[in-house]
Amino acid sequence: MSDNQQFFRDTAERILADRLEQKHIVAAESRVLPGELFATLAENGIFLMLVPEEQGGIGASVAEALAILKPAGSAAAPGPLLETMLGNGLLAQAGVAPVEGTIALAFVGADELAGAVTLHDVGWGGLADHVLVVADDAGRARLTLSAGADWLATPGEGAAGEPSDRLSAPSLPGASAVLDAAGSYADALRRAALLRAGQQLGAIEWSFTRSIDYTGERSQFGKPIAKFQVIQQMLAELAGHVLAASTLLDAAAVGLSETLVAAAISRVGDAADSAIAICHQVHGAIGYSKEYALNYRTRRLMAWRADFGGVEYWRGALARGFITATREQFWPAVSDAGLQGAA
Amino acid sequence: MSAANLRLDLPDMPEAAAQLRLDVRAFIDEERKAGRLPPPERVGLGFSQEMTKRIAARGWIGLTWPKKYGGQERSALERYVVTEELLAAAVPVGAHWVADRQSGPVLLKFGTEEQRQEYLPRIVAGECGFCIGMSEPESGSDLASLKSRAQKVDGGWKINGRKIWTTNAHRVHYMIALVRTSVVEGARHAGISQLIIDLQAPGVTISPIISMAGEHDFNEVLLEDVFVPDKALIGQEGNGWNQVSAELAYERSGPERWLSSFRLIAELIDVLGPDARPSSQEELGRLLSHLLALRQLSMSVASMIQQGQTPNLEAAIVKDLGTKFEQEAVRVVRNIVSAENLTAHGRADRLKALLIHAQQYSPAFTIRGGTNEILRGIIAKGIGLR
């Protein structure tokens, strides 16, 4: 981890420790944004992470943004944190100044924007200050920035209990801009999904560590359950998922190759599935109670794996990059996929 | 333990590795053009003394070893590049595999100067191969319960016992055997030593064990009053357990743990086109994500070895994940072949043959070189559970 990444991680951990309590996480399920947390993140420039310095931002890399989002996932931080951070980054790419307040993101096909518009499952859509619609316009990303108040919101919620709303308007409100040539729709979606995978990894690591600790605290049959081989085997299996997912995610964040990002999202998806199953099994009944902190991570994993394409979409995308290769082209394609250290 | 401790740094690949990779690919191209490397119809490491000689001629055996023993003093990451290129192309490397990966490094770390002089240059030249004498009929996962005994006699040791699952014992020249040289009450890991046995020596009887995949790779090796001289002892008498533990990071983290079934996936990719149904593409994509993750892990562990670390926890994880991946690969390929009807009516005969063999071979992936349950015990210890 670079010094910069370490700095951003420490900053995020400090802010989260100071400004996020369990009551805020619970309140988010009643559509209350953790306001103090978001104000402090804004004061510290976190929402300008992906805005270049010459446009008044921090000019951080995706790897550095992940250094913020992993601890946020670990802390089960609610709210459109990723969306506001990336939304400002996308706006900057299109030459638009960053906005104050929160951003909700909606990825859609351009054909969905003709006439009366309905956006489905928009995280924090009814509560965000701004709505940024990212439309796939023949491969280019067309951005339309509008005020949250321009939309009629029908509240809904996802698996984590956070708002996931339907937004409608008689016609697409707001002003549009097109990303420059370097910014395709696929690039924008890829970055969103990779950052979401970072949040997932944080939640996975928290659940893994908590489960290890719990097996030392909980005794049955006269000894800590950590001493049972069956428990050890399950957590050893999860350790493999954690190591594989985190290593591939780190590698993907460096080069942002299409192949590697898709692979990292898929691999984190498997780690998430395994973490949900194993951490709950290890915890037994207590982990199933709403009061115990585990479910605030595992329900986020359930929600997050479906966002920004969803894990299955990225698996298909990954396969399509290889499927036309011949038997002898396959290995070079694997070894040139952009892995770190691969010469 | 916190998950933050479970993290691998991304490796810095030396500049020379890129050229080396191209050199190995050029060699593989030549071998293919000369008809010496047909696409395989079986999984697992092939064995060819002639191929080993040709690889040796390029200087790719003992690549990291000191020049005075014939090596090239290149980095572990460069060795990693050579091995993954050879394995991905299914080059039969079995004749030097164990010696290059394990026996040579053990001699470098624990052997005497005389032993190094005697064996290393011959390994580098592709002239002598080794096998590993660890498992016994009554000592599998519980290796420390081994019963083969070496009794001190004038000028050497007299060995009696039985080793089993000894890969290539019938084709290579030496075994490094793990035997009991003394009994220390209450300390089962003590009193174990490593000895080099010439497989041509009187008293050595090698019998084949045919696997369920129809192969003769394994053997049972009976040792009856086999004499080895004092100079056959590796390292310290009684320190064998520690020495063996030091080998395991080499044995467990290498690309052979996830590349055995690579050709099977390559054959599938060859046959499969963009019209494959979405469910097949999703399954394939998931498999590829595991392949890419394993490759990144394997490179990172090679980098740790290069830095002089002994990443036993990480290596155990790579082997656990890699061998599970290999079984998963067989299952996924089988499912896609079935769903897409790829091998019906005489189509894709090679894929069909390879898939049959891979299915027969697949139970071995998670057993050979230490079962996954034993590995997970090691991982559990590493994360603080025992």
Side-chain angles (χ1 to χ4, degrees), chain B residues 44-295:
Chain B
L45 287 188
F47 189 103
S48 162
Q49 199 67 56
E50 294 72 36
M51 181 62 84
T52 282
K53 285 259 174 64
R54 290 198 293 278
I55 293 169
R58 304 287 174 133
W60 295 334
I61 302 177
L63 194 66
T64 62
W65 304 350
K67 288 185 176 158
K68 63 173 174 172
Y69 307 122
Q72 309 213 20
E73 303 185 5
R74 298 181 76 161
S75 72
L77 285 158
E78 287 167 278
R79 179 182 178 274
Y80 171 86
V81 165
V82 171
T83 57
E84 75 167 4
E85 288 294 329
L86 294 175
L87 291 170
V91 177
V93 292
H96 65 271
W97 189 253
V98 165
D100 178 65
R101 177 186 73 188
Q102 207 159 342
S103 315
V106 165
L107 293 176
L108 275 171
K109 195 161 184 179
F110 300 108
T112 62
E113 183 56 30
E114 187 187 357
Q115 286 167 343
R116 294 174 190 168
Q117 295 282 1
E118 182 171 355
Y119 299 106
L120 298 183
R122 289 159 63 205
I123 295 173
V124 167
E127 287 168 5
C128 85
F130 277 71
C131 61
I132 303 166
M134 291 200 197
S135 292
E136 296 183 1
E138 301 304 323
S139 302
S141 291
D142 182 13
L143 184 60
S145 71
L146 60 87
K147 292 186 182 66
S148 292
R149 282 292 311 267
Q151 188 189 346
K152 191 72 192 85
V153 294
D154 198 24
W157 302 85
K158 191 172 72 180
I159 308 170
N160 280 285
R162 205 181 276 272
K163 292 292 176 183
I164 198 168
W165 314 119
T166 318
T167 302
N168 292 331
H170 60 306
R171 297 161 165 156
V172 298
H173 310 83
Y174 301 98
M175 169 196 278
I176 295 182
L178 195 63
V179 297
R180 203 163 277 290
T181 44
S182 57
V183 176
V184 183
E185 282 303 323
R188 54 205 300 271
H189 297 104
I192 295 175
S193 304
Q194 285 183 299
L195 290 167
I196 303 170
I197 298 175
D198 183 337
L199 293 168
Q200 300 295 320
V204 177
T205 309
I206 299 170
S207 316
I209 299 174
I210 307 301
S211 73
M212 67 179 266
E215 321 258 10
H216 175 201
D217 289 331
F218 296 132
N219 300 278
E220 178 160 352
V221 181
L222 180 63
L223 305 166
E224 294 171 300
D225 287 339
V226 176
F227 175 80
V228 298
D230 283 326
K231 66 176 185 181
L233 177 69
I234 302 174
Q236 281 179 299
E237 192 264 308
N239 193 40
W241 189 264
N242 293 332
Q243 292 171 200
V244 164
S245 301
E247 288 176 38
L248 294 178
Y250 307 118
E251 187 181 338
R252 289 181 174 148
S253 65
E256 70 271 30
R257 297 306 175 192
W258 48 274
L259 278 175
S260 306
S261 53
F262 185 79
R263 297 309 306 184
L264 178 66
I265 309 172
E267 284 303 320
L268 176 74
I269 296 260
D270 194 68
V271 172
L272 210 58
D275 52 347
R277 64 197 67 201
S279 58
S280 296
Q281 300 200 21
E282 275 170 31
E283 268 213 275
L284 178 63
R286 176 169 177 267
L287 191 69
L288 294 173
S289 75
H290 284 251
L291 175 72
L292 289 162
L294 280 160
R295 182 160 183 261

Side-chain angles (χ1 to χ4, degrees), chain A residues 233 270 323 327 335 341 343, chain B residues 13 21 25 267 270 272 290:
Chain A
Q233 297 268 317
D270 272 333
I323 212 160
R327 66 173 65 82
S335 74
Chain B
M13 196 59 93
R21 187 182 295 283
R25 285 186 186 173
E267 284 303 320
D270 194 68
L272 210 58
H290 284 251

